Amino acid sequence: GVVHYPPFDSSVALRWLPVDMFFVVMLSTSFEAMRFLSVPMITVFKQLANLLTVCGEYVFFGKGITYGVLLSFAVMIFGAVLAAENDLAFSFAGYAWQVSNCVA
């Protein structure tokens, strides 16, 4: 029941460094966005971040997009527009932080 790990290897740590840095950026931009935006608006943006993932899979890996996925994206975008339309506490800084969070 004991897990054994290989000894520390600096070359492995250097390969993982960009992943760790993006994680730190994602966390810090998320905290900054929460200072300006409501939790429902952050949730909407997090759902829209899936669009970036699918676009990246299409561009980098040539993975196709099904009609069901396109339909679900249309529903998510429609919901995001409705949510943004009723966002009474619009904050450019909050949206900028959240967009940077989604990209990270």
Side-chain angles (χ1 to χ4, degrees):
V2 177
V3 178
H4 297 282
Y5 292 102
F8 179 76
D9 184 1
S10 61
S11 66
V12 173
L14 283 175
R15 279 187 290 185
W16 277 95
L17 183 63
V19 174
D20 296 334
M21 296 305 293
F22 275 111
F23 182 70
V24 169
V25 169
M26 183 202 60
L27 287 178
S28 61
T29 56
S30 179
F31 290 143
E32 288 297 319
M34 290 197 78
R35 288 179 42 204
F36 300 100
L37 297 177
S38 65
V39 173
M41 285 309 299
I42 289 176
T43 303
V44 167
F45 263 92
K46 289 287 188 183
Q47 294 302 320
L48 289 177
N50 294 326
L51 290 170
L52 293 175
T53 303
V54 170
C55 290
E57 286 182 352
Y58 179 75
V59 169
F60 294 114
F61 304 118
K63 191 171 181 180
I65 302 171
T66 65
Y67 290 113
V69 170
L70 287 175
L71 178 64
S72 65
F73 284 153
V75 170
M76 284 193 312
I77 291 170
F78 180 69
V81 169
L82 288 179
E85 181 181 53
N86 293 318
D87 185 17
L88 300 176
F90 178 82
S91 168
F92 179 78
Y95 284 110
W97 281 115
Q98 189 58 41
V99 166
S100 64
N101 175 263
C102 290
V103 171

